[in-house]
Amino acid sequence: MAMISTYCPHFNGLRRSSPKLDSSQSQSFLQHINSQLRLASSRKPCRAVTAMAGSGKFFVGGNWKCNGTKDSITKLVSDLNSAKLETDVDVVVSPPFVYLDQVTASLTSRIEVSAQNSWIGKGGAFTGEISVEQLKDIGCKWVILGHSERRHIIGEDDQFIGKKAAYALNEGLGVIACIGELLEEREAGKTFDVCFRQLKAFADVVPSWDNIVIAYEPVWAIGTGKVATPQQAQEVHVAVRDWLKKNVSEEVASKTRIIYGGSVNGSNCAELAKQEDIDGFLVGGASLKGPEFATIVNSVTSKKVAA
C-alpha cells in the first residue's frame, strides 16, 4: 500500500554527533545502525514482509483523547462491534473519562478499554483526578501514561509518570508507557538520549514489565500529519529494544511490545507494520473512525512472513 502521508526525511538526528548524510550515505548508515543494535545475529534478514522481532502479540490502541459525545461514541462503538478484526491482535480503546462507563457497558469483549490517565496513588482529596481503583471498578484494563500532551502541556515529569506507572501496575492495570522526542530534540541529535531517559524513569520504579506496552511517539508527528518514515521508526524501536536488553533483561527486551504512534492511519499502517521491531500502534485521530481503525488493527497481516 502506498504511503500518502507527509514524510520528514530531514529529521535524521538521533545523536548530536551524527553528521548530515546524503541519501546513499543515510541508507548505509541505517544499515550499520540496524546491524549493530540487532538483538540477536540469528534473526532472519528483512524480507518484503517481516515477522515481529519481539515475542509479544501485535497490539493496537486507540486514544480518543478529548473527543466525542454520547451520540458519536454510540456510533463508534457500534462500528467497532461490527468490525471484522484479525484474531492475533490485542485491541484497546481509550475513551474520555466521562464515557468510560458507557463504552465498557456496550463494547464487545473482543476489545479492552483503557483510561487516558490515572492518579499517582489511592484516591482521596485530589480534585479532578481519577484513581486506579475507580478505573478497575468500571472495567478498565489499561491506562495510558506519559503521553506527550501530559508531559508538555500539563507539565508531568519523568519521575511523576514513573510513579504513576508503578502504582497502576501494582494495582493490576496494564500500562501503555509513552516516550518520544520533540522536534528540536531530534534535530539536535538527542532522540535516543530523550527516549532512554524516559525509559529509565519507568525502569527505576516498575515492579515488572509483564503488563507494559511501550509506545514510541515522536512528538513532532502527533496530530501533524507528519509520520516518521518506517526506517526512522524502526531504528528507534531497535534502539529501545536494545536498551531494554542491556538495562533490564534480554527476556524483557523480547517480550515487551514496542508500538508506534504519530499520525498513523489506514493508508500508512501497512508499510509501518512491515518493520520488524514495530509491534503495533497507538492511534489518535484515525481511531475515531471505526472502519479505519479496523484497517489499522488488521495491518497485522503485513507482519506475516511471505512463504
Side-chain angles (χ1 to χ4, degrees):
M1 186 178 292
M3 303 290 285
I4 65 173
S5 293
T6 304
Y7 276 177
C8 306
H10 62 287
F11 295 155
N12 59 5
L14 296 172
R15 294 287 192 193
R16 182 181 293 275
S17 59
S18 298
K20 188 172 183 179
L21 305 174
D22 61 31
S23 58
S24 62
Q25 290 174 314
S26 179
Q27 183 178 7
S28 175
F29 173 71
L30 190 56
Q31 290 172 345
H32 173 71
I33 288 291
N34 284 339
S35 67
Q36 291 298 310
L37 294 179
R38 187 63 52 206
L39 284 178
S41 60
S42 60
R43 252 184 220 169
K44 293 181 179 179
C46 292
R47 299 164 67 180
V49 182
T50 61
M52 289 171 66
S55 58
K57 196 175 183 181
F58 202 70
F59 185 104
V60 177
N63 182 8
W64 298 356
K65 304 190 179 184
C66 190
N67 292 295
T69 63
K70 286 177 67 176
D71 288 344
S72 69
I73 285 176
T74 296
K75 173 64 166 59
L76 178 53
V77 168
S78 176
D79 288 344
L80 293 174
N81 286 345
S82 62
K84 294 182 179 179
L85 304 178
E86 292 288 324
T87 58
D88 49 349
V89 188
D90 286 335
V91 186
V92 174
V93 295
S94 186
F97 284 124
V98 294
Y99 302 120
L100 281 171
D101 202 30
Q102 175 187 348
V103 173
T104 55
S106 58
L107 186 65
T108 172
S109 60
R110 168 71 182 85
I111 301 173
E112 293 186 327
V113 177
S114 169
Q116 297 178 20
N117 186 36
S118 62
W119 179 234
I120 197 169
K122 196 170 182 178
F126 306 106
T127 301
E129 288 295 339
I130 307 291
S131 74
V132 169
E133 291 81 2
Q134 290 169 323
L135 295 175
K136 290 174 61 182
D137 187 44
I138 60 169
C140 285
K141 304 294 185 184
W142 295 86
V143 62
I144 298 172
L145 295 174
H147 194 279
S148 65
E149 290 150 7
R150 302 294 306 180
R151 293 178 186 272
H152 301 297
I153 298 175
I154 307 303
E156 295 182 359
D157 63 27
D158 295 342
Q159 286 67 40
F160 187 67
I161 294 164
K163 290 177 182 177
K164 283 186 174 186
Y167 188 80
L169 291 164
N170 277 320
E171 295 303 312
L173 273 190
V175 170
I176 301 171
C178 300
I179 62 171
E181 81 283 4
L182 296 166
L183 174 58
E184 54 265 35
E185 291 169 334
R186 172 165 280 267
E187 291 180 330
K190 296 180 178 179
T191 295
F192 288 167
D193 296 332
V194 171
C195 291
F196 295 167
R197 186 198 75 223
Q198 293 169 347
L199 279 172
K200 185 177 186 300
F202 289 112
D204 284 347
V205 294
V206 297
S208 166
W209 288 81
D210 288 346
N211 293 310
I212 299 177
V213 171
I214 297 171
Y216 168 59
E217 296 196 298
V219 182
W220 48 268
I222 298 175
T224 64
K226 297 177 179 178
V227 186
T229 65
Q231 294 76 23
Q232 286 174 325
Q234 168 68 8
E235 65 186 347
V236 177
H237 283 227
V238 170
V240 167
R241 204 178 299 281
D242 189 63
W243 188 93
L244 291 173
K245 179 184 178 183
K246 293 176 179 176
N247 295 277
V248 184
S249 74
E250 188 167 352
E251 181 182 13
V252 166
S254 176
K255 287 184 177 180
T256 301
R257 291 170 288 186
I258 306 169
I259 64 177
Y260 171 78
S263 297
V264 177
N265 58 47
S267 297
N268 60 35
C269 57
E271 290 300 316
L272 287 161
K274 289 178 183 178
Q275 299 303 306
E276 192 174 359
D277 286 271
I278 294 180
D279 301 327
F281 301 109
L282 183 58
V283 187
S287 68
L288 299 171
K289 305 169 186 176
E292 185 170 12
F293 186 63
T295 296
I296 297 170
V297 171
N298 292 337
S299 68
V300 68
T301 57
S302 296
K303 305 298 287 187
K304 297 175 181 178
V305 178

